Amino acid sequence: MQRSPGELTDFLQPERLTAVVDVGANPIDGDPPYKALLQRRLCRLTGFDPFPDVLNPLNASKSDLETYLPFAVGDGGRQTLRLCRGMGFASLLQPDPVALMHFPQFSELGQVVREIALDTRRLDDIAEIQAMDFLKIDIQGSELSVFEHGRGRLAQAVAVQTEVSFIPLYRNQPVFGEIDLALRGLGFVPHTFAAINRKMILPMTPPHPAAAFNQLVEADAVYVRDFTKPDAMSSEQLKHLAIVAHYCYGSFDLAVNCIHHLVRRGAVAADTGGRYLTFVQNTRPAT
């Protein structure tokens, strides 16, 4: 297995590269959280998006560690994909015009311009996924359906980054509380928010001096396998959780926690904790 020199993986020696799955691989919101893992050749990525306009450029620039497939992931049934004026509004759910009208430009961006019937695939049924340690998912309201039909894969995963909604912009869209309960039921706990999307409530519009942007609309929430129950994780899971924590979120404390339990089990060298802290001190950018 090829690894970059001087990496956390040199201390942990996992059996394989960290397996990342990205459902909704369109990089519309910027770099994905696993970018550092890919750059260091520490992960294998399997990404999904049903849009050729998204997949073609991804495939044109991918490395040998990346695979992109034109599947819509869901409940395994036939669904209707609704394309909207705003690319980021495309969803298997119907936009809710009443909710959209409360935020600037959302009514226009959420207007459906085309509908496409397509077959979805259950996460548990996709043979191309050989392993899944880290799931990143952003599919505009259908995340809960993927979780409900991906329990087998999620039982082995150690981290999930998912979009959650506080104000449902689509009809029958599960909100944050439902996502939270589902992931907790699968053995995950909230860890951090990778991004928080706040919007101004209409009819106030900028540049009014009293304008504010406090209303929570959506966020990218990061869940990790419950670190308070380490005995429920295998040593390999602890290793991949430490890797994701370190490279994707800078969660050095979580990585140290994983290493602590690995040392206690004799799964890594006794001095790994100290070596890791020195590694962090020497590699962390100055602030």
Side-chain angles (χ1 to χ4, degrees):
M1 181 190 304
Q2 279 190 318
R3 294 194 183 100
S4 300
E7 300 290 0
L8 173 57
T9 48
D10 295 336
F11 306 152
L12 301 183
Q13 293 292 306
E15 295 175 1
R16 53 171 173 75
L17 297 178
T18 299
V20 179
V21 172
D22 190 340
V23 178
N26 189 351
I28 189 172
D29 293 323
D31 292 334
Y34 49 80
K35 180 180 179 180
L37 287 176
L38 274 178
Q39 289 178 328
R40 290 168 169 79
R41 299 184 62 79
L42 300 178
C43 75
R44 291 190 182 277
L45 169 66
T46 306
F48 300 93
D49 201 293
F51 296 112
D53 289 348
V54 172
L55 285 186
N56 289 341
L58 289 173
N59 279 318
S61 61
K62 70 178 182 179
S63 71
D64 60 309
L65 297 176
E66 300 168 69
T67 300
Y68 296 101
L69 299 169
F71 303 161
V73 184
D75 61 6
R78 194 158 180 81
Q79 301 283 350
T80 299
L81 177 64
R82 296 166 176 89
L83 303 180
C84 300
R85 291 193 182 279
M87 181 181 294
F89 283 77
S91 176
L92 296 177
L93 302 179
Q94 179 70 44
D96 184 347
V98 175
L100 295 175
M101 68 182 291
H102 287 83
F103 303 100
Q105 300 183 340
F106 274 27
S107 291
E108 294 79 12
L109 295 172
Q111 189 174 54
V112 176
V113 296
R114 185 184 174 195
E115 295 186 348
I116 303 172
L118 47 73
D119 295 317
T120 65
R121 301 199 184 193
R122 290 163 28 102
L123 190 62
D124 278 345
D125 296 339
I126 300 174
E128 288 85 350
I129 300 175
Q130 296 181 356
M132 187 176 80
D133 302 306
F134 176 29
L135 171 65
K136 177 259 179 186
I137 180 169
D138 181 352
I139 50 174
Q140 296 301 306
S142 296
E143 291 83 5
L144 183 58
S145 178
V146 172
F147 300 152
E148 290 174 340
H149 296 90
R151 292 176 177 272
R153 301 282 187 200
L154 286 164
Q156 301 304 315
V158 294
V160 176
Q161 178 174 312
T162 178
E163 184 176 64
V164 296
S165 292
F166 302 97
I167 302 295
L169 302 178
Y170 304 87
R171 293 173 180 168
N172 302 314
Q173 178 183 5
V175 293
F176 171 62
E178 295 168 86
I179 298 292
D180 180 69
L181 289 175
L183 288 174
R184 286 177 183 271
L186 291 166
F188 296 91
V189 293
H191 179 58
T192 189
F193 286 110
I196 299 176
N197 184 4
R198 296 180 174 90
K199 294 296 180 184
M200 178 181 291
I201 302 171
L202 293 174
M204 182 173 281
T205 56
H208 193 284
F213 297 88
N214 285 329
Q215 179 55 53
L216 292 171
V217 178
E218 298 168 332
D220 291 327
V222 179
Y223 283 74
V224 297
R225 191 152 296 282
D226 191 346
F227 55 86
T228 70
K229 301 174 181 177
D231 292 340
M233 280 188 270
S234 69
S235 294
E236 188 73 1
Q237 285 179 308
L238 285 168
K239 291 178 181 182
H240 290 293
L241 179 54
I243 291 166
V244 171
H246 176 88
Y247 289 103
C248 299
Y249 301 107
S251 295
F252 309 125
D253 53 344
L254 178 55
V256 168
N257 181 270
C258 294
I259 292 170
H260 166 77
H261 294 296
L262 288 166
V263 169
R264 180 174 58 86
R265 294 180 185 186
V268 297
D271 64 347
T272 301
R275 291 172 63 201
Y276 173 67
L277 290 174
T278 300
F279 169 74
V280 170
Q281 184 176 4
N282 291 338
T283 59
R284 187 177 182 181
T287 56

